[in-house]
Amino acid sequence: MALLRIRGIEKRFGGLRAVDGVGMDIAEGELLGLIGPNGSGKTTLLNVLSGHMRADAGEVSLDGRNVLGLNPTRLTRLGVLRMFQMTRVFNRITAFDNLIVCGMALGLKEAEAGERATELLAELKLSHVMHLDGGQLSGGQKKLLEFGACFMVPPRVALLDEPFAAVHPTMKETMATFIRNRNAQGQTFILVSHDMPVVVELCPRSVCMNTGKVLADGPTQEVLNDRAVIEAYLGENADAGHEEDADA
Ligand SMILES: Nc1ncnc2c1ncn2[C@@H]1O[C@H](COP(=O)(O)OP(=O)(O)O)[C@@H](O)[C@H]1O
Ligand SMILES: [Mg+2]
């Protein structure tokens, strides 16, 4: 049985079909790439999966249980956790305490949260700034911290929306290594990224969306070589300059 079963998801904004009949299965332990030109509906789909937006139609089940329409808090407790494109950390408490707060909010005892926070900070190469306030961290360090917070209690499925965008290459490598290692331990991911080399390296399978629909679903290299996928991206380049903030 698929860990996450998605069928016929539709999300409209007025007359625009941002997500238009999307379906896919994600198996436990999979690291799925979700790609597609700007405005193709990737973020909207993640918003629906995480409960941040209500779908107009469709079905989503997690471990066979219908979860569509649950709110983000309930979905987080069930283990569907997303990372946003915008960074959100508490500026006036330390990096370490940022993780403790997240862990305790997810039900950990303080001592256990402390152990996991220490491990995560080391894994993300943030140990040297663990006692600095969130507000004193660089943009990249904040992003890494927020990323780490998603794993204080490993989710059933982690939804990552452009985690590498505007991140220094060294930190990008740290994040990519983290994703690879956690996936090797069985963590399930959906990774939205425009960074094709990283998607090729990390994701055995990818789904490409365009205009709200699934254009291709299969082994990543095959998806990237798919004629319709290439045309969708060429179309995006032809429009470049007109849609600068479509992905905001
Ligand atoms: N809250 C919103 N209100 C109206 N239109 C939106 C909203 N969010 C996204 N859209 C539109 O839905 C389409 C898909 O957007 P999005 O899911 O952000 O695409 P992607 O993440 O693939 O770049 C775009 O045309 C976008 O402008
Ligand atoms: Mg997006």
Side-chain angles (χ1 to χ4, degrees):
M1 184 178 63
L3 172 62
L4 201 61
R5 183 176 184 277
I6 302 169
R7 291 291 179 276
I9 295 295
E10 284 180 26
K11 177 68 193 176
R12 290 185 289 273
F13 298 112
L16 174 77
R17 291 169 181 271
V19 177
D20 190 6
V22 165
M24 66 188 80
D25 284 340
I26 292 116
E28 175 128 48
E30 232 185 316
L31 168 39
L32 178 79
L34 181 58
I35 63 172
N38 276 337
S40 55
K42 306 178 297 296
T43 295
T44 304
L45 178 63
L46 292 197
N47 278 330
V48 165
L49 295 178
S50 65
H52 290 89
M53 277 180 186
R54 195 166 272 275
D56 296 303
E59 292 166 29
V60 178
S61 58
L62 178 75
D63 294 318
R65 170 185 174 174
N66 177 28
V67 292
L68 190 66
L70 299 183
N71 67 37
T73 308
R74 291 210 51 205
L75 279 161
T76 300
R77 295 225 169 92
L78 290 172
V80 181
L81 198 63
R82 76 164 292 190
M83 181 181 171
F84 281 86
Q85 261 175 285
M86 268 181 38
T87 308
R88 310 202 267 193
V89 305
F90 299 112
N91 283 328
R92 300 183 70 176
I93 59 174
T94 65
F96 183 72
D97 286 339
N98 262 276
L99 294 183
I100 301 291
V101 168
C102 290
M104 291 179 73
L106 288 167
L108 296 183
K109 300 254 187 305
E110 192 172 350
E112 197 181 5
E115 277 169 31
R116 295 207 191 169
T118 305
E119 279 168 23
L120 275 169
L121 288 163
E123 215 173 331
L124 294 170
K125 301 188 166 46
L126 291 174
S127 299
H128 62 296
V129 295
M130 67 188 283
H131 298 304
L132 292 184
D133 282 349
Q136 293 174 284
L137 303 180
S138 72
Q141 288 169 336
K142 281 185 191 170
K143 194 133 191 169
L144 271 182
L145 184 67
E146 196 212 352
F147 177 79
C150 298
F151 299 93
M152 280 297 287
V153 175
R156 296 286 285 141
V157 52
L159 311 175
L160 304 180
D161 196 357
E162 306 273 5
F164 313 119
V167 168
H168 185 276
T170 309
M171 287 172 180
K172 181 177 116 180
E173 192 47 49
T174 303
M175 246 185 225
T177 302
F178 181 95
I179 294 170
R180 192 185 308 113
N181 290 344
R182 291 292 171 128
N183 180 244
Q185 294 162 22
Q187 173 69 54
T188 310
F189 290 92
I190 299 180
L191 171 65
V192 173
S193 180
H194 276 120
D195 191 323
M196 292 308 161
V198 177
V199 172
V200 169
E201 192 203 321
L202 290 179
C203 305
R205 172 186 160 212
S206 290
V207 169
C208 180
M209 288 179 67
N210 191 36
T211 62
K213 293 190 167 70
V214 172
L215 206 54
D217 178 345
T220 298
Q221 202 59 61
E222 280 175 32
V223 166
L224 291 178
N225 291 335
D226 186 288
R227 194 176 176 83
V229 169
I230 293 168
E231 274 167 16
Y233 276 98
L234 288 174
E236 179 185 45
N237 288 340
D239 290 343
H242 301 289
E243 289 189 78
E244 272 141 21
D245 55 3
D247 199 49

